[in-house]
Amino acid sequence: MSSGYGDGRLSGGGSQENSGSLGVIAAVLILTFFTFSLRLFQLQIVDGAQLRSRSEQNFVRTVRLEAPRGDIVDREGRILASTRPAYRVQIIPNELHRGDRTFRALSQILGEAPGEISKRVGHPTGRRRFQPVVLRGDLGYERFAQVESHRYALPGVVTNIGPRRHYVEDDLAAHLLGTIGEVGTRQLALPQFSDYIAGEIVGQFGLEAELEAHLRGHAGGRNLVVDVAGREIELLDEIKPIPGGRVVLTLDLDLQRVAEEAFRSSDPEVPDHMGALVAIDPSNGEILALVSLPSYDPNSFAGGIDSKTWDQLISDPWKPLRNRAVSGEYSPGSTYKAVIAAAGLAEEEITQEEEIFCPGYYRMGRRVYRCWKRGGHGDVAMEQALKESCDVYFYNLGVRLGIDRMAHYAKGFGFGRATGINLAAEKAGLIPTMEWKRRVKGEEWIKGETVSAAIGQGYNLVTPIQLAVAYAAIANGGRVLRPQLVKRFETWDREVLKIMIPEERSRVPVSREIIEVVRDALIAVVEGERGTGGRARVPGIIVAGKSGTTQVVSLDLVKNLEPEEIPIGYRDHALFVAFAPAMEPEIVVVALVEHAGKGGGTVAAPIVQKVLARYFEKHPREPAPEPTQVVLVQERLQGHPQGHAQEGRQ
């Protein structure tokens, strides 16, 4: 009994104990199941999208393959802008495992503080975390190899070799070729950039911008299998990029080189000249050279310009980024007199033979206007007035014409409006009229202002490219042409797509006979005795031209100063424009030297001469002088050597 009682008591106690253990186990199982369920919910629902995307990215990586921009070459096929390979280092934020360790490793190779690298990578979200952040767009080969050798330990770091714009001649023709850079946020909002992506390279200025659609090309792509460390394992497929089209310019690299070199000083103590030069074919408007100085190296922009270089460029008081050839507005000075002479003949306010006496000054009311030649020129007719650049002759002629008639003819030669050259930021200049002053200044025109306007001063403003077009019209018999920079467009493998044809925009409002009178006088400027353009002579070639000098400040500011004491910014500009051969012109050259401090015949004419000499060295021709030219050549050979020119403001 006792035993049975005892077994029964013992049996009843064991059952309660087992029941408690099962409860604990059940609770643990339930808790475990709940924990797993909670984790599964987090993985599937909360973090599901991110983890799924990360898993896919860790498996397949899509790489954009940029298209090389098309080559830009000169008229003889010599490369001005091309593409070269560049070694790049990038980071894909989404693939970074331990960013701090990766940044420290990269900092030792790239020479950049880890914090700076981290700042550049940032913490992008959404699709941006899959987009590569460029750390170096053009790394040297040795450093690139160092990064490449450590990539196995640097998840998220990507290296590749991509195209990079290269300007073969450095700063040569920089303002013409322009610059490139990453497409901006504002640009991306414009319809013409609808198929661009952030970070893509686009032409920003100059021909790079104007010809963007042709130069750009089409990007390709590549799908790669990568491991969890970001290492490429397999190429799945690839679409190769299509390079941009080739552009053949009208530019002559030889003339461009000579023109830019002509502004350089041979004396290391003397700074180089600043200014602009335009050389144009008067038969079709093709630009042969286009210079703006000081210049800059467009290669600085190719991979994203650094802040130091950019600050230097925009803080430079001489504004090296400005294209002086098309957006620099200057008083034309005495180069304007050829237009006033044509206007006077067309309006029959003067004849070719009529003489006007120059005592060295012109008096209007209480004001006296001086001729550059203090002693005066005496009696002068039109040819001598142009040849010796007599101011008093043109003061009188300008007053006879009046400002509005002068403006009519000036506009007829293409002044006061953009020439239509294919470059942005071209300025229209200014040709004043009575109505203009009333509308803009709220004042009536003063007759004395006509006196200044007649010699290209006062409100008159022109650009060097406008001067080239106007004198091209004199050279070609009266056609005002649109300046042309592109000869033809080709595919990247040189299939011709389009050949540009010359465009005549208008005709000058004077007869061919009047143009010939002006042309003969311009020949005398260069080839005749006491002409102001003797320094532009080219052996064996008859040259026509005109000098000009323009004040940039009131004479009162500098009247008590010696020439060397005048601040550079107060010194006169010097101009010279010429065409040759005078009877069958093939080239027109305009040179403008800012703050030269001397006359156009002294400073600008030698620059023009060098360009003309190089042109005719490349294009030799047998001299075939007309009767008038024979006399001039004989005159020169009889004791008026080259360089025997009048010294003075004109």
Side-chain angles (χ1 to χ4, degrees), residues 287-311:
I287 297 294
L288 303 172
L290 190 143
V291 174
S292 180
L293 295 171
S295 188
Y296 61 90
D297 187 353
N299 287 305
S300 302
F301 292 81
I305 190 167
D306 61 85
S307 58
K308 181 181 178 183
T309 304
W310 176 249
D311 289 343

mmCIF file of all heavy atoms in Angstrom, residues 287-311:
data_model
loop_
_atom_site.group_PDB
_atom_site.id
_atom_site.type_symbol
_atom_site.label_atom_id
_atom_site.label_comp_id
_atom_site.label_asym_id
_atom_site.label_seq_id
_atom_site.Cartn_x
_atom_site.Cartn_y
_atom_site.Cartn_z
ATOM 1 N N ILE A 287 36.410 82.300 -92.817
ATOM 2 C CA ILE A 287 37.352 82.816 -91.835
ATOM 3 C C ILE A 287 38.645 82.005 -91.917
ATOM 4 O O ILE A 287 38.640 80.781 -91.761
ATOM 5 C CB ILE A 287 36.769 82.729 -90.419
ATOM 6 C CG1 ILE A 287 35.516 83.603 -90.306
ATOM 7 C CG2 ILE A 287 37.802 83.143 -89.380
ATOM 8 C CD1 ILE A 287 35.766 85.079 -90.442
ATOM 9 N N LEU A 288 39.759 82.688 -92.124
ATOM 10 C CA LEU A 288 41.055 82.021 -92.238
ATOM 11 C C LEU A 288 41.823 82.055 -90.923
ATOM 12 O O LEU A 288 42.672 81.189 -90.674
ATOM 13 C CB LEU A 288 41.875 82.681 -93.350
ATOM 14 C CG LEU A 288 41.205 82.696 -94.738
ATOM 15 C CD1 LEU A 288 42.021 83.539 -95.715
ATOM 16 C CD2 LEU A 288 41.026 81.286 -95.266
ATOM 17 N N ALA A 289 41.571 83.050 -90.121
ATOM 18 C CA ALA A 289 42.197 83.137 -88.794
ATOM 19 C C ALA A 289 41.297 84.001 -87.916
ATOM 20 O O ALA A 289 40.670 84.946 -88.406
ATOM 21 C CB ALA A 289 43.596 83.743 -88.878
ATOM 22 N N LEU A 290 41.244 83.651 -86.646
ATOM 23 C CA LEU A 290 40.455 84.443 -85.702
ATOM 24 C C LEU A 290 41.169 84.380 -84.351
ATOM 25 O O LEU A 290 41.293 83.311 -83.760
ATOM 26 C CB LEU A 290 39.029 83.905 -85.591
ATOM 27 C CG LEU A 290 38.044 84.800 -84.826
ATOM 28 C CD1 LEU A 290 36.657 84.756 -85.474
ATOM 29 C CD2 LEU A 290 37.951 84.395 -83.374
ATOM 30 N N VAL A 291 41.647 85.529 -83.930
ATOM 31 C CA VAL A 291 42.497 85.604 -82.736
ATOM 32 C C VAL A 291 41.841 86.502 -81.695
ATOM 33 O O VAL A 291 41.264 87.537 -82.034
ATOM 34 C CB VAL A 291 43.893 86.170 -83.106
ATOM 35 C CG1 VAL A 291 44.739 86.386 -81.856
ATOM 36 C CG2 VAL A 291 44.598 85.256 -84.096
ATOM 37 N N SER A 292 41.940 86.108 -80.455
ATOM 38 C CA SER A 292 41.562 86.965 -79.330
ATOM 39 C C SER A 292 42.592 86.748 -78.237
ATOM 40 O O SER A 292 42.797 85.624 -77.783
ATOM 41 C CB SER A 292 40.155 86.614 -78.831
ATOM 42 O OG SER A 292 39.808 87.447 -77.732
ATOM 43 N N LEU A 293 43.227 87.828 -77.802
ATOM 44 C CA LEU A 293 44.279 87.726 -76.791
ATOM 45 C C LEU A 293 44.055 88.765 -75.689
ATOM 46 O O LEU A 293 43.618 89.875 -76.000
ATOM 47 C CB LEU A 293 45.656 87.942 -77.434
ATOM 48 C CG LEU A 293 46.073 86.867 -78.444
ATOM 49 C CD1 LEU A 293 47.337 87.308 -79.171
ATOM 50 C CD2 LEU A 293 46.300 85.531 -77.758
ATOM 51 N N PRO A 294 44.319 88.424 -74.434
ATOM 52 C CA PRO A 294 44.924 87.179 -73.964
ATOM 53 C C PRO A 294 43.975 85.997 -74.100
ATOM 54 O O PRO A 294 42.762 86.168 -74.216
ATOM 55 C CB PRO A 294 45.228 87.468 -72.492
ATOM 56 C CG PRO A 294 44.239 88.520 -72.111
ATOM 57 C CD PRO A 294 44.038 89.361 -73.322
ATOM 58 N N SER A 295 44.581 84.821 -74.070
ATOM 59 C CA SER A 295 43.818 83.616 -74.290
ATOM 60 C C SER A 295 43.853 82.713 -73.046
ATOM 61 O O SER A 295 44.281 83.144 -71.967
ATOM 62 C CB SER A 295 44.391 82.868 -75.505
ATOM 63 O OG SER A 295 43.561 81.789 -75.863
ATOM 64 N N TYR A 296 43.422 81.494 -73.196
ATOM 65 C CA TYR A 296 43.417 80.517 -72.098
ATOM 66 C C TYR A 296 43.562 79.134 -72.721
ATOM 67 O O TYR A 296 43.414 78.968 -73.943
ATOM 68 C CB TYR A 296 42.108 80.611 -71.306
ATOM 69 C CG TYR A 296 40.896 80.323 -72.153
ATOM 70 C CD1 TYR A 296 40.391 79.024 -72.275
ATOM 71 C CD2 TYR A 296 40.273 81.330 -72.883
ATOM 72 C CE1 TYR A 296 39.293 78.753 -73.079
ATOM 73 C CE2 TYR A 296 39.181 81.061 -73.684
ATOM 74 C CZ TYR A 296 38.702 79.773 -73.780
ATOM 75 O OH TYR A 296 37.627 79.503 -74.591
ATOM 76 N N ASP A 297 43.835 78.156 -71.900
ATOM 77 C CA ASP A 297 43.986 76.787 -72.405
ATOM 78 C C ASP A 297 42.673 76.035 -72.222
ATOM 79 O O ASP A 297 42.277 75.734 -71.089
ATOM 80 C CB ASP A 297 45.109 76.072 -71.657
ATOM 81 C CG ASP A 297 45.418 74.707 -72.254
ATOM 82 O OD1 ASP A 297 44.680 74.277 -73.157
ATOM 83 O OD2 ASP A 297 46.405 74.087 -71.814
ATOM 84 N N PRO A 298 41.972 75.712 -73.306
ATOM 85 C CA PRO A 298 40.694 75.000 -73.161
ATOM 86 C C PRO A 298 40.849 73.607 -72.580
ATOM 87 O O PRO A 298 39.867 73.020 -72.123
ATOM 88 C CB PRO A 298 40.146 74.953 -74.590
ATOM 89 C CG PRO A 298 41.330 75.138 -75.474
ATOM 90 C CD PRO A 298 42.292 75.986 -74.713
ATOM 91 N N ASN A 299 42.080 73.068 -72.580
ATOM 92 C CA ASN A 299 42.288 71.762 -71.947
ATOM 93 C C ASN A 299 41.976 71.818 -70.451
ATOM 94 O O ASN A 299 41.672 70.791 -69.831
ATOM 95 C CB ASN A 299 43.735 71.296 -72.151
ATOM 96 C CG ASN A 299 43.991 70.857 -73.575
ATOM 97 O OD1 ASN A 299 43.295 69.995 -74.110
ATOM 98 N ND2 ASN A 299 44.982 71.459 -74.218
ATOM 99 N N SER A 300 42.063 73.025 -69.875
ATOM 100 C CA SER A 300 41.759 73.178 -68.452
ATOM 101 C C SER A 300 40.308 72.833 -68.140
ATOM 102 O O SER A 300 39.974 72.495 -67.006
ATOM 103 C CB SER A 300 42.037 74.615 -67.992
ATOM 104 O OG SER A 300 43.377 74.968 -68.229
ATOM 105 N N PHE A 301 39.445 72.967 -69.166
ATOM 106 C CA PHE A 301 38.021 72.712 -68.954
ATOM 107 C C PHE A 301 37.632 71.271 -69.288
ATOM 108 O O PHE A 301 36.526 70.849 -68.969
ATOM 109 C CB PHE A 301 37.191 73.647 -69.836
ATOM 110 C CG PHE A 301 37.277 75.099 -69.438
ATOM 111 C CD1 PHE A 301 38.356 75.878 -69.821
ATOM 112 C CD2 PHE A 301 36.277 75.681 -68.685
ATOM 113 C CE1 PHE A 301 38.439 77.211 -69.469
ATOM 114 C CE2 PHE A 301 36.342 77.011 -68.319
ATOM 115 C CZ PHE A 301 37.425 77.784 -68.710
ATOM 116 N N ALA A 302 38.537 70.552 -69.946
ATOM 117 C CA ALA A 302 38.159 69.258 -70.521
ATOM 118 C C ALA A 302 37.708 68.252 -69.464
ATOM 119 O O ALA A 302 36.827 67.436 -69.710
ATOM 120 C CB ALA A 302 39.302 68.695 -71.349
ATOM 121 N N GLY A 303 38.331 68.267 -68.282
ATOM 122 C CA GLY A 303 37.955 67.314 -67.245
ATOM 123 C C GLY A 303 37.298 67.973 -66.060
ATOM 124 O O GLY A 303 37.230 67.392 -64.980
ATOM 125 N N GLY A 304 36.818 69.207 -66.274
ATOM 126 C CA GLY A 304 36.254 69.953 -65.150
ATOM 127 C C GLY A 304 37.324 70.876 -64.593
ATOM 128 O O GLY A 304 38.316 70.407 -64.020
ATOM 129 N N ILE A 305 37.142 72.167 -64.777
ATOM 130 C CA ILE A 305 38.180 73.122 -64.389
ATOM 131 C C ILE A 305 38.272 73.213 -62.872
ATOM 132 O O ILE A 305 37.254 73.192 -62.162
ATOM 133 C CB ILE A 305 37.894 74.501 -65.028
ATOM 134 C CG1 ILE A 305 39.090 75.434 -64.830
ATOM 135 C CG2 ILE A 305 36.606 75.105 -64.486
ATOM 136 C CD1 ILE A 305 39.013 76.671 -65.693
ATOM 137 N N ASP A 306 39.502 73.294 -62.351
ATOM 138 C CA ASP A 306 39.664 73.410 -60.903
ATOM 139 C C ASP A 306 39.393 74.849 -60.473
ATOM 140 O O ASP A 306 39.489 75.789 -61.265
ATOM 141 C CB ASP A 306 41.078 72.981 -60.494
ATOM 142 C CG ASP A 306 42.147 73.847 -61.121
ATOM 143 O OD1 ASP A 306 42.449 74.908 -60.566
ATOM 144 O OD2 ASP A 306 42.676 73.455 -62.191
ATOM 145 N N SER A 307 39.047 75.009 -59.212
ATOM 146 C CA SER A 307 38.608 76.313 -58.711
ATOM 147 C C SER A 307 39.709 77.363 -58.789
ATOM 148 O O SER A 307 39.439 78.534 -59.058
ATOM 149 C CB SER A 307 38.113 76.178 -57.273
ATOM 150 O OG SER A 307 39.135 75.643 -56.447
ATOM 151 N N LYS A 308 40.955 76.962 -58.596
ATOM 152 C CA LYS A 308 42.053 77.930 -58.631
ATOM 153 C C LYS A 308 42.195 78.535 -60.025
ATOM 154 O O LYS A 308 42.301 79.760 -60.189
ATOM 155 C CB LYS A 308 43.358 77.248 -58.214
ATOM 156 C CG LYS A 308 44.551 78.193 -58.212
ATOM 157 C CD LYS A 308 45.828 77.448 -57.809
ATOM 158 C CE LYS A 308 47.044 78.382 -57.858
ATOM 159 N NZ LYS A 308 48.292 77.645 -57.529
ATOM 160 N N THR A 309 42.193 77.669 -61.048
ATOM 161 C CA THR A 309 42.317 78.158 -62.424
ATOM 162 C C THR A 309 41.122 79.019 -62.799
ATOM 163 O O THR A 309 41.263 80.066 -63.443
ATOM 164 C CB THR A 309 42.420 76.968 -63.400
ATOM 165 O OG1 THR A 309 43.520 76.143 -63.005
ATOM 166 C CG2 THR A 309 42.636 77.442 -64.823
ATOM 167 N N TRP A 310 39.935 78.591 -62.384
ATOM 168 C CA TRP A 310 38.734 79.362 -62.712
ATOM 169 C C TRP A 310 38.777 80.746 -62.065
ATOM 170 O O TRP A 310 38.453 81.754 -62.700
ATOM 171 C CB TRP A 310 37.501 78.591 -62.257
ATOM 172 C CG TRP A 310 36.214 79.326 -62.452
ATOM 173 C CD1 TRP A 310 35.398 79.841 -61.500
ATOM 174 C CD2 TRP A 310 35.600 79.647 -63.713
ATOM 175 N NE1 TRP A 310 34.319 80.461 -62.067
ATOM 176 C CE2 TRP A 310 34.408 80.365 -63.424
ATOM 177 C CE3 TRP A 310 35.948 79.411 -65.043
ATOM 178 C CZ2 TRP A 310 33.567 80.828 -64.426
ATOM 179 C CZ3 TRP A 310 35.090 79.876 -66.045
ATOM 180 C CH2 TRP A 310 33.930 80.572 -65.727
ATOM 181 N N ASP A 311 39.175 80.783 -60.811
ATOM 182 C CA ASP A 311 39.260 82.074 -60.119
ATOM 183 C C ASP A 311 40.251 83.007 -60.815
ATOM 184 O O ASP A 311 40.019 84.216 -60.928
ATOM 185 C CB ASP A 311 39.677 81.864 -58.659
ATOM 186 C CG ASP A 311 38.572 81.224 -57.844
ATOM 187 O OD1 ASP A 311 37.408 81.242 -58.285
ATOM 188 O OD2 ASP A 311 38.883 80.686 -56.762
#
